[in-house]
Amino acid sequence: MEFWRRKKEALEGGETGESGKPGRRGRSTSLAVRPIPEDALILIPMRNAVLFPGVISPVAVGRSSSIAAANEAVRQSRKVGFVLQRDPKVDTIGPNDLHWVGTAGDIVRYVPSSEGAHHLAVQGETRFRITEFLEGWPFLVARVVWVPEATDGGEDVEARFLQLKTQAAEAIKLLPNVPDELAGAVQGIDSASQLCDMVANLLDIEGTEKQAILEAFDLKQRLDIVLAHLAGRVGVLRLSKEIGDKTKKEFDERQREHVLREQMRQIQKELGEGEDTAAELQELEKSLEAAGMPEEAFKHAKKEFKRLARMGEGSGEASMLRTWLELMAELPWKMDPQKAMDIAGARKVLDDDHFGLEKVKRRILEYLAVRKLNPEGKSPILCFVGPPGVGKTSLGQSIAKATGRKFQRVALGGLHDEAEIRGHRRTYIGALPGNVIQALKRAESRSGVLMLDEIDKLGAGGFHGDPSSALLEVLDPEQNAKFRDNYLGVDFDLSRVLFIATANVLDTIPGPLRDRMEIIHLPGYTEEEKLQIARKYLVKKQMEANGLKAGQASLTDATIREIVAGYTREAGVRSLEREIGSVLRNVAMRIAEAKAESVAVDAGDLHAILGARKFENEVALRTAMPGVATGLAWTPVGGDILFIEASKVPGTGKLILTGQLGDVMKESAQAALTLAKTRSGDALEKTDIHVHVPAGATPKDGPSAGVAMFLALTSLMQDKPIRPDVAMTGEISLRGLVLPIGGVKEKTLAALRAGITTIMLPRRNEKDLEDVPADARAKLNFVFLDKVEDAVKTAIL
Ligand SMILES: Nc1ncnc2c1ncn2[C@@H]1O[C@H](COP(=O)(O)OP(=O)(O)OP(=O)(O)O)[C@@H](O)[C@H]1O
Ligand SMILES: [Mg+2]
């Protein structure tokens, strides 16, 4: 109390006064009458802000109690104590809602307002601690003790004071928009506590953190807290300044470069130099003019060229424009001089490159003949469909060779983005023209052969648009004379391009696309055909590839046959070519090691070179027991055989289906069972029938296993096995008719590969046998079915 009085005297200019009566006695509502004790302070609670000694700070008061407090303080020229609320959201304040340490100060300005908050400017003076709250006023009043401020803290404080000065100076330097006077003012302060409070006031920290500083009465401790906060702040400021500087530097550099370039251009102009870029531009202009663009495209290019010429070098936009203009100049707008198409010559090229494929070659020649007679005509697009390795891609190359055109390939497999076909708009960064335009640029011709490879593996349309719809536009003879690539931005005439598509399967090609193409099937080769292809083409090709000269290596027919039967199982000849390659590499090695001059490879040598046989005859391995039938299936990789197994288990007449069956196949099994039951007169009430189709490499589906299922069930019911050398295909009706199916050639070849000798086919497929090579036909026995009974007669002994 002694201290308080002294302090108060100091504060109030030596005026001595009695300590007032404790306000608890006698409540009066008249605030004018009731004096506030001298040792008490009017309090104004603050929601967020903390007032520090030595700081002038704006304070807004809105609550009626606070306004009353401010009014009374101004009226009596009293000091006010500003204290922080514990919870800023509380409106009606009691002692427990406040921190009990605050700063007393004078209201140096009061700006009342008719609505909303009144504004005060307050000058913080002295820390105080509340000892007791007094009641009886419409605002908060409390008895307080003043907290003395240490004037000298010794070396510890001095050191921190200096550090604070340095850091504060740095912070001021880093802060944008700080008045210069502030730096001077900070340097001028010679009291550690004053600087500490001033910095604390400026710190961008929470109210409670500021309160903690206010409550740190020990100066050394207070300096430590403030220093820690300031160091963090300076770190952040440094970093953001660094970032800001970098950005600014980059900007400045670009600006500088621009200015320098401009100056350079002016200087070059003065000196009559700078022909380099000018010459380049001139060249570009010339090649644009020579490119032979159609009117509209040329106008557009010309406009863009002028824009480029005006733009000056170096900007990103200029280089984008230049790239575009260069593409425009390079694109094959002009038609190549057309040689008259030599159909006989074309025939020779096709024969030279490909064995067999008579029907396919004939169709290709017809197509070429039509184009020769009517080059402007809208001919359909050819699409080669067939298993891998049957020569689809290489046929396309041969067509280009046969017609003297350039060949380019566009891989469509897995394309999901429409823009890959149609290009990105030029406004995109890194925009490119689509695949088609790029291929034409590579081909340097707009009448070349463009192979759209793997059109069946085109990704479905999604987020980035449907690639197949873009492709439609490319392939549609009605539209493709005005094909518009997004990047190009002008029409390009694709009508003279010879498009050839390839696919492994038909059904995954989107319908509208399929409609625009003429489908040509390449079903796969027989063993005999493979032998010929290997003898005439593959061995020669692989000898060259492995650096062998004619005569250095030879493969006997028996060797090739053994490779085909024991080391490959495919409709095409790709694995065959690869295996032949392995054999020839082995030969090349022996010759290189000078172990031999020339090597003839026998079938017997294969085991040593290629290892054990990879495939065995499956039918031979199969035991001939009742209930097993050999069906024939069509798969995207050629034909295949499949076994249908049926067996009886005790039950209630249910059909159990397991294995790799599609929905159509399941229905077909149901139909086969119904049919077998009616035909045998056996209702099978006490047994379940289990039909299983072992998993093959590819899942199969379709109705063509109907006959095989019926036969497996009949064989089971009669307990008689089916002849192991018979395979069958055909759809069945509930009345027992055998209906036609597809893929006769593929299925026949698969049966042959598997060692089957008799094939049962629907009668109505008899005509399809002409697709099957004669040598294969000669090796097989065909039985044609009208009704399911015909099958039973042939196959069940
Ligand atoms: N009838 C043939 N005569 C000669 N060589 C052939 C014949 N058929 C295929 N070939 C050869 O087989 C190899 C594979 O052919 P290609 O790459 O054209 O197969 P593809 O049908 O395009 O297969 P994919 O569907 O896997 O792309 C090529 O080296 C090709 O020359
Ligand atoms: Mg191919």
Side-chain angles (χ1 to χ4, degrees), residues 392-393 453 502 574:
K392 299 181 296 296
T393 306
D453 231 353
T502 80
R574 189 167 286 135

Side-chain angles (χ1 to χ4, degrees), residues 385-388 392 456 503-507 571 634-639 698-700:
V385 178
K392 299 181 296 296
D456 55 333
N504 287 135
V505 280
L506 261 188
D507 17 318
W634 180 91
T635 70
V637 292
T698 35
K700 302 159 191 90

